[in-house]
Amino acid sequence: MAIEVNGKTIATTAAGYLENYADWDEDVARALAAIENIELTETHWDVIKYLRSEYIDNGQNQPMERAVLKDMGKLWGTKPTSKDLYTLFPLAPTKQGTKIAGLPAVMRKGGY
């Protein structure tokens, strides 16, 4: 599969994840979000950038929801809940967020 973004063809897996996370940019994120029926806000971008940073700068770490909540709480100065993250990414914050962030599919089992 593939998506077209700004005249470029970007390869994706059958599940819609980028085959190469280096192909990602903010326009690609917007295209992936549109496929997921999500309109990105600043809070979405905070989570997306966090997930990318964890993966790229922290040994391909794909944090569980609890870590995302903790770190977003520090960033936002509030204590977000799981419901807050699911409002942003209804099909599972770490999985749907990871897809829009252009990262490989999360392979771990469940986990809060």
Side-chain angles (χ1 to χ4, degrees), residues 40-104:
L40 297 176
T41 65
E42 285 304 312
T43 51
H44 286 96
W45 285 113
D46 288 342
V47 175
I48 290 165
K49 289 174 183 177
Y50 167 77
L51 291 171
R52 285 191 64 80
S53 176
E54 282 296 303
Y55 188 83
I56 294 166
D57 302 329
N58 196 13
Q60 299 183 340
N61 181 41
Q62 293 182 307
M64 291 198 277
E65 185 179 321
R66 184 179 309 211
V68 176
L69 286 168
K70 181 179 175 186
D71 290 335
M72 289 300 98
K74 291 176 188 174
L75 179 65
W76 296 334
T78 63
K79 189 171 183 183
T81 64
S82 290
K83 183 177 179 180
D84 296 325
L85 287 183
Y86 275 89
T87 298
L88 296 172
F89 302 102
L91 299 180
T94 57
K95 293 182 181 185
Q96 195 172 34
T98 294
K99 182 184 285 188
I100 294 169
L103 301 170

